[in-house]
Coordinates of all heavy atoms in Angstrom, one line a residue:
E1 N 43.3 13.1 -26.0 CA 43.0 13.5 -27.4 C 44.4 13.8 -28.1 O 45.3 14.4 -27.5 CB 42.2 14.8 -27.4 CG 41.8 15.3 -28.7 CD 40.8 16.4 -28.7 OE1 40.3 16.8 -27.6 OE2 40.6 17.0 -29.7
K2 N 44.5 13.5 -29.3 CA 45.7 13.6 -30.1 C 45.9 15.1 -30.5 O 45.0 15.8 -30.8 CB 45.7 12.8 -31.3 CG 45.8 11.3 -31.1 CD 45.8 10.6 -32.3 CE 45.9 9.1 -32.1 NZ 46.1 8.3 -33.3
L3 N 47.1 15.5 -30.5 CA 47.5 16.9 -30.8 C 47.5 17.1 -32.3 O 47.3 18.2 -32.8 CB 48.8 17.3 -30.3 CG 48.9 17.4 -28.8 CD1 50.4 17.6 -28.4 CD2 48.0 18.4 -28.2
G4 N 47.7 16.0 -33.1 CA 47.8 16.1 -34.5 C 49.2 16.3 -35.0 O 50.1 16.7 -34.3
P5 N 49.4 16.1 -36.3 CA 50.7 16.1 -36.9 C 51.4 17.5 -37.0 O 52.6 17.6 -37.1 CB 50.5 15.6 -38.3 CG 49.1 15.9 -38.6 CD 48.4 15.8 -37.3
R6 N 50.6 18.6 -36.8 CA 51.2 19.9 -36.9 C 51.6 20.5 -35.6 O 52.1 21.6 -35.5 CB 50.2 20.8 -37.6 CG 49.9 20.3 -39.0 CD 49.1 21.3 -39.8 NE 49.9 22.4 -40.1 CZ 49.5 23.5 -40.7 NH1 48.3 23.6 -41.2 NH2 50.3 24.5 -41.0
A7 N 51.3 19.8 -34.5 CA 51.6 20.3 -33.1 C 53.2 20.2 -33.0 O 53.8 19.4 -33.5 CB 51.0 19.4 -32.1
L8 N 53.7 21.2 -32.3 CA 55.1 21.3 -31.9 C 55.2 21.1 -30.4 O 54.5 21.7 -29.6 CB 55.7 22.6 -32.3 CG 55.7 22.9 -33.8 CD1 56.2 24.4 -34.0 CD2 56.6 22.0 -34.5
I9 N 56.1 20.2 -30.1 CA 56.4 19.9 -28.6 C 57.8 20.4 -28.3 O 58.7 20.0 -28.9 CB 56.3 18.4 -28.4 CG1 55.0 17.8 -28.9 CG2 56.5 18.1 -26.9 CD1 53.7 18.3 -28.2
G10 N 57.8 21.2 -27.3 CA 59.1 21.7 -26.8 C 59.4 21.4 -25.4 O 58.5 21.1 -24.6
L11 N 60.7 21.4 -25.0 CA 61.1 21.2 -23.7 C 62.2 22.2 -23.3 O 63.1 22.5 -24.1 CB 61.7 19.8 -23.6 CG 62.3 19.4 -22.3 CD1 61.2 19.1 -21.3 CD2 63.2 18.1 -22.4
C12 N 62.0 22.7 -22.1 CA 63.0 23.7 -21.6 C 64.1 22.8 -20.9 O 63.8 22.1 -20.0 CB 62.4 24.6 -20.6 SG 63.5 25.8 -19.9
V13 N 65.4 22.9 -21.4 CA 66.4 22.2 -20.8 C 67.0 23.0 -19.6 O 67.4 24.2 -19.8 CB 67.5 21.7 -21.8 CG1 67.0 20.7 -22.7 CG2 68.0 22.9 -22.6
R14 N 67.1 22.4 -18.5 CA 67.5 23.2 -17.3 C 68.9 22.7 -16.8 O 69.6 23.4 -16.1 CB 66.5 23.0 -16.1 CG 65.2 23.6 -16.5 CD 64.2 23.4 -15.3 NE 62.9 23.8 -15.7 CZ 62.4 25.0 -15.6 NH1 63.1 26.0 -15.2 NH2 61.1 25.3 -16.0
T15 N 69.2 21.4 -17.2 CA 70.5 20.8 -16.7 C 71.2 20.1 -17.9 O 70.5 19.8 -18.9 CB 70.3 19.8 -15.6 OG1 69.5 18.7 -16.1 CG2 69.5 20.4 -14.4
M16 N 72.4 19.8 -17.7 CA 73.1 19.0 -18.7 C 72.5 17.6 -18.9 O 72.5 17.0 -19.9 CB 74.6 18.9 -18.4 CG 75.4 18.4 -19.6 SD 75.2 19.2 -21.1 CE 76.1 20.7 -20.9
D17 N 72.0 17.1 -17.8 CA 71.3 15.8 -17.8 C 70.1 15.9 -18.7 O 69.8 14.9 -19.5 CB 70.9 15.3 -16.4 CG 72.0 14.9 -15.6 OD1 73.1 14.5 -16.1 OD2 71.9 14.8 -14.3
D18 N 69.4 17.0 -18.7 CA 68.2 17.2 -19.6 C 68.7 17.2 -21.1 O 68.1 16.5 -21.9 CB 67.5 18.5 -19.4 CG 66.8 18.6 -18.1 OD1 66.5 17.6 -17.5 OD2 66.5 19.8 -17.7
V19 N 69.8 17.8 -21.3 CA 70.4 17.9 -22.7 C 70.8 16.5 -23.1 O 70.4 16.0 -24.3 CB 71.6 18.8 -22.8 CG1 72.2 18.8 -24.2 CG2 71.1 20.3 -22.4
L20 N 71.5 15.8 -22.3 CA 71.9 14.4 -22.6 C 70.7 13.5 -22.9 O 70.8 12.7 -23.8 CB 72.8 13.8 -21.5 CG 74.1 14.5 -21.3 CD1 74.8 14.0 -20.1 CD2 75.0 14.3 -22.6
A21 N 69.7 13.6 -22.2 CA 68.5 12.8 -22.4 C 67.8 13.1 -23.7 O 67.2 12.2 -24.3 CB 67.5 13.1 -21.3
M22 N 68.0 14.3 -24.2 CA 67.4 14.7 -25.5 C 68.2 14.3 -26.7 O 67.8 14.3 -27.8 CB 67.2 16.2 -25.6 CG 66.1 16.7 -24.6 SD 64.5 16.0 -25.0 CE 64.3 14.8 -23.7
T23 N 69.5 13.9 -26.5 CA 70.3 13.5 -27.7 C 69.7 12.3 -28.4 O 70.0 12.2 -29.6 CB 71.8 13.1 -27.2 OG1 71.7 12.0 -26.3 CG2 72.4 14.3 -26.6
Q24 N 68.9 11.5 -27.8 CA 68.3 10.3 -28.5 C 66.8 10.4 -28.5 O 66.1 9.4 -28.8 CB 68.7 9.0 -27.7 CG 70.2 8.8 -27.7 CD 70.8 8.7 -29.0 OE1 70.3 8.0 -29.9 NE2 72.0 9.3 -29.2
N25 N 66.2 11.6 -28.3 CA 64.8 11.7 -28.2 C 64.3 12.4 -29.4 O 64.4 13.6 -29.6 CB 64.4 12.5 -26.9 CG 62.9 12.5 -26.7 OD1 62.1 12.5 -27.6 ND2 62.5 12.5 -25.5
A26 N 63.6 11.7 -30.3 CA 63.0 12.3 -31.5 C 61.6 12.8 -31.3 O 61.0 13.4 -32.2 CB 63.1 11.3 -32.6
E27 N 61.0 12.6 -30.1 CA 59.6 13.0 -29.9 C 59.5 14.5 -29.6 O 58.4 15.0 -29.7 CB 59.0 12.1 -28.8 CG 59.0 10.7 -29.1 CD 58.5 9.8 -27.9 OE1 58.5 10.3 -26.8 OE2 58.2 8.7 -28.2
V28 N 60.6 15.1 -29.3 CA 60.5 16.5 -29.0 C 61.0 17.3 -30.2 O 62.0 17.0 -30.8 CB 61.5 16.8 -27.8 CG1 61.6 18.3 -27.5 CG2 61.0 16.2 -26.5
D29 N 60.2 18.3 -30.6 CA 60.5 19.1 -31.8 C 61.6 20.2 -31.5 O 62.4 20.5 -32.4 CB 59.3 19.8 -32.3 CG 58.2 18.8 -32.7 OD1 58.5 18.0 -33.6 OD2 57.1 18.8 -32.1
Y30 N 61.6 20.8 -30.3 CA 62.6 21.8 -30.1 C 62.9 21.9 -28.6 O 62.2 21.4 -27.8 CB 62.1 23.2 -30.6 CG 60.9 23.8 -29.7 CD1 61.2 24.6 -28.7 CD2 59.6 23.4 -30.0 CE1 60.2 25.1 -27.9 CE2 58.6 24.0 -29.3 CZ 58.9 24.8 -28.2 OH 57.8 25.3 -27.4
L31 N 64.0 22.5 -28.3 CA 64.5 22.7 -26.9 C 64.5 24.2 -26.7 O 64.9 25.0 -27.6 CB 65.8 22.1 -26.7 CG 66.0 20.7 -27.0 CD1 67.5 20.3 -26.7 CD2 65.1 19.8 -26.1
S32 N 64.2 24.7 -25.5 CA 64.4 26.1 -25.2 C 65.6 26.2 -24.2 O 65.7 25.4 -23.3 CB 63.1 26.8 -24.7 OG 62.7 26.2 -23.5
V33 N 66.4 27.1 -24.5 CA 67.7 27.3 -23.7 C 67.7 28.7 -23.2 O 67.7 29.7 -24.0 CB 68.9 27.0 -24.6 CG1 70.2 27.3 -23.8 CG2 68.9 25.6 -25.1
K34 N 67.6 28.9 -21.9 CA 67.6 30.2 -21.3 C 69.0 30.8 -21.3 O 69.9 30.3 -20.7 CB 67.1 30.2 -19.9 CG 66.8 31.6 -19.3 CD 66.0 31.4 -18.0 CE 65.5 32.7 -17.6 NZ 64.7 32.6 -16.4
I35 N 69.2 31.9 -22.1 CA 70.6 32.4 -22.2 C 70.9 33.7 -21.4 O 72.0 34.1 -21.2 CB 70.9 32.7 -23.7 CG1 70.1 33.8 -24.3 CG2 70.9 31.4 -24.5 CD1 70.6 34.4 -25.5
A36 N 69.8 34.3 -20.9 CA 70.0 35.5 -20.1 C 68.8 35.6 -19.1 O 67.7 35.1 -19.3 CB 70.0 36.7 -21.0
A37 N 69.1 36.4 -18.0 CA 68.0 36.6 -17.0 C 67.0 37.6 -17.6 O 67.3 38.5 -18.4 CB 68.7 37.2 -15.8
S38 N 65.7 37.3 -17.2 CA 64.6 38.2 -17.6 C 63.6 38.2 -16.5 O 62.9 37.2 -16.3 CB 64.0 37.7 -18.9 OG 62.9 38.5 -19.2
K39 N 63.4 39.4 -15.8 CA 62.4 39.5 -14.8 C 61.0 39.6 -15.4 O 60.0 39.2 -14.8 CB 62.7 40.7 -13.9 CG 63.9 40.5 -13.1 CD 64.2 41.7 -12.2 CE 65.5 41.5 -11.4 NZ 65.9 42.6 -10.7
K40 N 60.9 40.0 -16.6 CA 59.6 40.2 -17.3 C 59.0 38.9 -17.7 O 57.9 38.6 -17.5 CB 59.7 41.2 -18.5 CG 60.0 42.6 -18.1 CD 60.1 43.4 -19.4 CE 60.5 44.9 -19.0 NZ 60.6 45.7 -20.2
T41 N 59.8 38.1 -18.4 CA 59.3 36.8 -19.0 C 59.4 35.6 -18.1 O 58.7 34.7 -18.2 CB 60.0 36.5 -20.3 OG1 61.4 36.4 -20.1 CG2 59.7 37.6 -21.4
C42 N 60.4 35.7 -17.2 CA 60.6 34.5 -16.3 C 61.2 35.0 -15.0 O 62.5 35.1 -14.9 CB 61.4 33.5 -17.0 SG 61.6 32.0 -16.0
P43 N 60.4 35.3 -14.0 CA 61.0 35.9 -12.8 C 62.0 34.9 -12.1 O 62.8 35.4 -11.3 CB 59.8 36.2 -11.9 CG 58.6 35.5 -12.6 CD 59.0 35.2 -14.0
R44 N 61.8 33.6 -12.3 CA 62.8 32.6 -11.7 C 64.0 32.5 -12.6 O 63.9 31.9 -13.6 CB 62.1 31.3 -11.5 CG 61.7 30.9 -10.2 CD 61.2 29.5 -10.1 NE 62.1 28.6 -10.7 CZ 61.7 27.4 -11.3 NH1 60.5 27.1 -11.4 NH2 62.6 26.6 -11.9
N45 N 65.0 33.2 -12.2 CA 66.2 33.2 -13.1 C 67.2 32.2 -12.7 O 68.4 32.5 -12.6 CB 66.8 34.6 -13.2 CG 66.0 35.6 -14.0 OD1 65.6 35.2 -15.1 ND2 65.7 36.7 -13.5
D46 N 66.8 30.9 -12.7 CA 67.7 29.8 -12.5 C 68.0 29.2 -13.8 O 67.4 29.5 -14.8 CB 67.1 28.8 -11.5 CG 65.8 28.3 -12.0 OD1 65.2 28.8 -12.9 OD2 65.3 27.2 -11.4
C47 N 68.9 28.4 -13.9 CA 69.3 27.6 -15.1 C 69.6 28.5 -16.3 O 69.1 28.3 -17.4 CB 68.1 26.7 -15.5 SG 67.5 25.7 -14.1
I48 N 70.4 29.5 -16.1 CA 70.8 30.4 -17.2 C 72.1 29.8 -17.9 O 73.1 29.6 -17.2 CB 71.1 31.8 -16.7 CG1 69.8 32.4 -16.2 CG2 71.6 32.7 -17.8 CD1 69.9 33.7 -15.5
W49 N 72.0 29.5 -19.2 CA 73.1 28.8 -19.9 C 74.1 29.8 -20.4 O 75.3 29.5 -20.6 CB 72.5 28.0 -21.0 CG 71.8 26.8 -20.6 CD1 70.5 26.8 -20.3 CD2 72.3 25.5 -20.5 NE1 70.1 25.5 -19.9 CE2 71.2 24.7 -20.0 CE3 73.5 24.9 -20.7 CZ2 71.4 23.3 -19.8 CZ3 73.7 23.6 -20.5 CH2 72.6 22.8 -20.0
G50 N 73.7 31.0 -20.8 CA 74.6 32.0 -21.4 C 74.9 31.6 -22.9 O 74.5 30.5 -23.3
I51 N 75.7 32.4 -23.5 CA 76.1 32.1 -24.9 C 76.9 30.9 -25.0 O 76.7 30.0 -25.9 CB 76.8 33.3 -25.5 CG1 75.9 34.6 -25.6 CG2 77.4 33.0 -26.9 CD1 74.7 34.4 -26.5
E52 N 77.9 30.7 -24.1 CA 78.7 29.5 -24.2 C 77.9 28.2 -24.0 O 78.1 27.2 -24.7 CB 79.8 29.6 -23.1 CG 80.8 30.7 -23.3 CD 80.2 32.1 -22.8 OE1 79.3 32.1 -22.0 OE2 80.8 33.1 -23.2
G53 N 77.0 28.2 -23.0 CA 76.1 27.1 -22.8 C 75.2 26.8 -24.0 O 75.0 25.6 -24.4
L54 N 74.7 27.8 -24.7 CA 73.9 27.7 -25.9 C 74.7 26.9 -26.9 O 74.2 26.0 -27.6 CB 73.4 29.0 -26.4 CG 72.6 29.0 -27.7 CD1 71.3 28.3 -27.5 CD2 72.4 30.4 -28.1
E55 N 76.0 27.3 -27.1 CA 76.8 26.7 -28.1 C 77.1 25.2 -27.8 O 77.0 24.4 -28.6 CB 78.1 27.5 -28.2 CG 78.9 27.1 -29.4 CD 80.0 28.1 -29.7 OE1 80.5 28.8 -28.7 OE2 80.4 28.3 -30.8
K56 N 77.3 24.9 -26.5 CA 77.4 23.5 -26.1 C 76.2 22.7 -26.4 O 76.3 21.6 -26.9 CB 77.7 23.4 -24.6 CG 79.1 23.9 -24.2 CD 79.3 23.7 -22.7 CE 80.6 24.3 -22.3 NZ 80.8 24.3 -20.9
V57 N 75.0 23.2 -26.1 CA 73.8 22.5 -26.4 C 73.6 22.3 -27.9 O 73.3 21.2 -28.3 CB 72.6 23.3 -25.8 CG1 71.3 22.6 -26.2 CG2 72.7 23.3 -24.2
R58 N 73.9 23.3 -28.7 CA 73.8 23.2 -30.1 C 74.6 22.1 -30.7 O 74.2 21.4 -31.6 CB 74.2 24.6 -30.8 CG 74.3 24.5 -32.3 CD 73.0 24.4 -33.0 NE 72.4 23.1 -32.9 CZ 71.1 22.8 -33.0 NH1 70.3 23.7 -33.3 NH2 70.7 21.6 -32.8
H59 N 75.8 21.9 -30.1 CA 76.7 20.8 -30.6 C 76.3 19.5 -30.2 O 76.7 18.5 -30.8 CB 78.1 21.1 -30.2 CG 78.8 22.3 -30.9 ND1 79.1 22.2 -32.2 CD2 79.2 23.5 -30.4 CE1 79.6 23.4 -32.6 NE2 79.7 24.2 -31.5
M60 N 75.4 19.4 -29.2 CA 75.1 18.1 -28.6 C 73.8 17.5 -29.2 O 73.6 16.3 -29.2 CB 74.9 18.2 -27.1 CG 76.3 18.5 -26.4 SD 76.1 18.6 -24.6 CE 75.7 16.9 -24.2
V61 N 72.8 18.3 -29.6 CA 71.5 17.8 -29.9 C 71.2 18.2 -31.4 O 71.6 19.3 -31.9 CB 70.4 18.3 -29.0 CG1 70.6 17.8 -27.6 CG2 70.3 19.8 -29.0
P62 N 70.4 17.4 -32.1 CA 70.0 17.7 -33.4 C 68.7 18.6 -33.5 O 68.3 19.0 -34.6 CB 69.7 16.3 -34.0 CG 69.2 15.5 -32.9 CD 70.0 16.0 -31.7
H63 N 68.1 18.8 -32.4 CA 66.8 19.5 -32.3 C 66.9 21.0 -32.7 O 68.0 21.6 -32.6 CB 66.2 19.5 -30.9 CG 66.0 18.1 -30.4 ND1 67.0 17.3 -30.0 CD2 64.9 17.3 -30.3 CE1 66.5 16.1 -29.6 NE2 65.2 16.1 -29.8
R64 N 65.8 21.6 -33.0 CA 65.7 23.0 -33.1 C 65.9 23.6 -31.7 O 65.5 22.9 -30.8 CB 64.3 23.5 -33.7 CG 64.1 23.0 -35.1 CD 62.7 23.5 -35.5 NE 62.4 23.0 -36.8 CZ 61.2 22.5 -37.2 NH1 60.2 22.5 -36.3 NH2 61.0 22.1 -38.4
I65 N 66.4 24.8 -31.7 CA 66.6 25.4 -30.4 C 66.0 26.8 -30.4 O 66.2 27.5 -31.3 CB 68.1 25.5 -30.0 CG1 68.7 24.0 -29.8 CG2 68.3 26.3 -28.7 CD1 70.2 24.0 -29.6
V66 N 65.4 27.1 -29.3 CA 64.8 28.5 -29.1 C 65.6 29.1 -27.9 O 65.7 28.5 -26.8 CB 63.3 28.5 -28.8 CG1 62.8 29.9 -28.5 CG2 62.5 27.8 -29.9
A67 N 66.3 30.2 -28.2 CA 67.0 30.9 -27.1 C 66.0 31.8 -26.4 O 65.4 32.7 -27.1 CB 68.2 31.7 -27.7
I68 N 65.9 31.6 -25.1 CA 64.9 32.4 -24.4 C 65.6 33.3 -23.3 O 66.8 33.0 -23.0 CB 63.8 31.5 -23.7 CG1 64.4 30.5 -22.7 CG2 63.0 30.8 -24.8 CD1 63.4 29.7 -22.0
G69 N 64.9 34.2 -22.7 CA 65.4 35.0 -21.7 C 65.6 36.5 -22.2 O 65.1 36.8 -23.3
G70 N 66.1 37.3 -21.3 CA 66.2 38.7 -21.6 C 67.4 39.0 -22.6 O 68.4 39.6 -22.2
Q71 N 67.2 38.7 -23.8 CA 68.2 39.0 -24.8 C 68.4 40.5 -25.0 O 67.4 41.2 -24.9 CB 67.9 38.3 -26.2 CG 68.2 36.8 -26.2 CD 68.2 36.3 -27.6 OE1 69.0 36.7 -28.3 NE2 67.3 35.4 -27.9
E72 N 69.6 40.8 -25.4 CA 69.9 42.2 -25.7 C 70.4 42.3 -27.1 O 70.9 41.3 -27.6 CB 70.9 42.8 -24.7 CG 70.3 42.8 -23.3 CD 71.3 43.4 -22.3 OE1 72.4 43.9 -22.7 OE2 71.0 43.4 -21.1
I73 N 70.4 43.4 -27.7 CA 70.9 43.6 -29.1 C 72.3 43.1 -29.2 O 72.7 42.6 -30.3 CB 70.7 45.1 -29.5 CG1 70.8 45.1 -31.0 CG2 71.6 46.0 -28.8 CD1 69.7 44.6 -31.8
S74 N 73.1 43.2 -28.2 CA 74.5 42.8 -28.2 C 74.7 41.3 -28.3 O 75.7 40.8 -28.8 CB 75.2 43.3 -27.0 OG 74.7 42.8 -25.8
T75 N 73.7 40.5 -28.0 CA 73.8 39.1 -28.1 C 73.1 38.4 -29.3 O 73.4 37.3 -29.6 CB 73.2 38.4 -26.8 OG1 71.8 38.7 -26.7 CG2 73.9 38.8 -25.6
V76 N 72.3 39.2 -30.0 CA 71.5 38.6 -31.1 C 72.4 38.0 -32.2 O 72.1 36.9 -32.7 CB 70.6 39.7 -31.7 CG1 69.9 39.2 -32.9 CG2 69.5 40.1 -30.6
G77 N 73.5 38.7 -32.6 CA 74.4 38.2 -33.6 C 75.0 36.9 -33.2 O 75.1 35.9 -34.0
S78 N 75.5 36.7 -32.0 CA 76.1 35.5 -31.5 C 75.0 34.4 -31.5 O 75.3 33.3 -31.9 CB 76.6 35.7 -30.1 OG 77.7 36.6 -30.1
V79 N 73.9 34.7 -31.0 CA 72.8 33.6 -31.0 C 72.5 33.2 -32.4 O 72.3 32.0 -32.6 CB 71.5 34.2 -30.2 CG1 70.4 33.2 -30.4 CG2 71.8 34.4 -28.8
Y80 N 72.3 34.1 -33.3 CA 72.0 33.8 -34.7 C 73.1 32.9 -35.3 O 72.8 31.9 -35.9 CB 71.8 35.0 -35.5 CG 71.4 34.7 -36.9 CD1 70.1 34.5 -37.2 CD2 72.4 34.6 -37.9 CE1 69.7 34.2 -38.5 CE2 72.0 34.3 -39.2 CZ 70.6 34.1 -39.5 OH 70.3 33.9 -40.8
R81 N 74.4 33.2 -35.1 CA 75.4 32.4 -35.6 C 75.4 31.0 -35.1 O 75.7 30.0 -35.8 CB 76.8 33.1 -35.4 CG 77.1 34.2 -36.4 CD 78.5 34.7 -36.2 NE 78.8 35.4 -34.9 CZ 78.4 36.6 -34.6 NH1 77.8 37.3 -35.5 NH2 78.7 37.1 -33.5
I82 N 75.2 30.8 -33.8 CA 75.2 29.5 -33.1 C 74.0 28.7 -33.7 O 74.2 27.5 -33.9 CB 75.1 29.7 -31.6 CG1 76.4 30.3 -31.1 CG2 74.8 28.3 -30.9 CD1 76.3 30.7 -29.6
L83 N 72.9 29.3 -33.8 CA 71.7 28.5 -34.2 C 71.5 28.3 -35.7 O 70.6 27.5 -36.1 CB 70.4 29.2 -33.5 CG 70.4 29.2 -32.0 CD1 69.1 29.8 -31.5 CD2 70.7 27.8 -31.4
H84 N 72.2 29.0 -36.5 CA 72.1 28.8 -37.9 C 73.3 28.3 -38.5 O 74.2 28.3 -38.9 CB 71.6 30.1 -38.6 CG 70.2 30.5 -38.3 ND1 69.9 31.2 -37.2 CD2 69.1 30.1 -38.9 CE1 68.5 31.3 -37.2 NE2 68.0 30.6 -38.2

């Protein structure tokens, strides 16, 4: 069954190979990039990019990006500047 034109499709990038694959993929609407560990939202804390990794991903892909993980108030400003 079709999702329809208003559906949003996202992909969690775990490796730089994932990011490189997305540079030419227009079928995905957004990427999620885990920037911090979070035991509450994702107990498996692998593939953490951090702020520097988020910035690298932002420069590589044209997609919308969602920063996920246990963000703290101290990182919100940096994340906002990178993504806007």
Side-chain angles (χ1 to χ4, degrees):
E1 185 173 351
K2 292 184 179 183
L3 295 175
R6 298 187 72 182
L8 295 174
I9 306 296
L11 176 74
C12 180
V13 289
R14 298 178 190 274
T15 66
M16 191 54 75
D17 287 339
D18 291 345
V19 175
L20 292 171
M22 290 299 103
T23 60
Q24 301 299 318
N25 188 326
E27 296 174 347
V28 173
D29 298 299
Y30 71 92
L31 304 178
S32 62
V33 177
K34 189 171 193 175
I35 63 163
S38 172
K39 292 180 182 176
K40 292 180 183 178
T41 60
C42 186
R44 254 186 50 212
N45 283 313
D46 56 347
C47 313
I48 298 172
W49 290 86
I51 296 295
E52 296 82 17
L54 176 66
E55 194 163 29
K56 287 180 186 177
V57 173
R58 171 70 290 156
H59 289 293
M60 294 178 70
V61 297
H63 300 78
R64 294 178 184 141
I65 296 176
V66 176
I68 61 172
Q71 284 196 62
E72 296 181 4
I73 195 71
S74 62
T75 62
V76 172
S78 297
V79 169
Y80 183 84
R81 280 188 295 281
I82 291 167
L83 298 182
H84 288 89

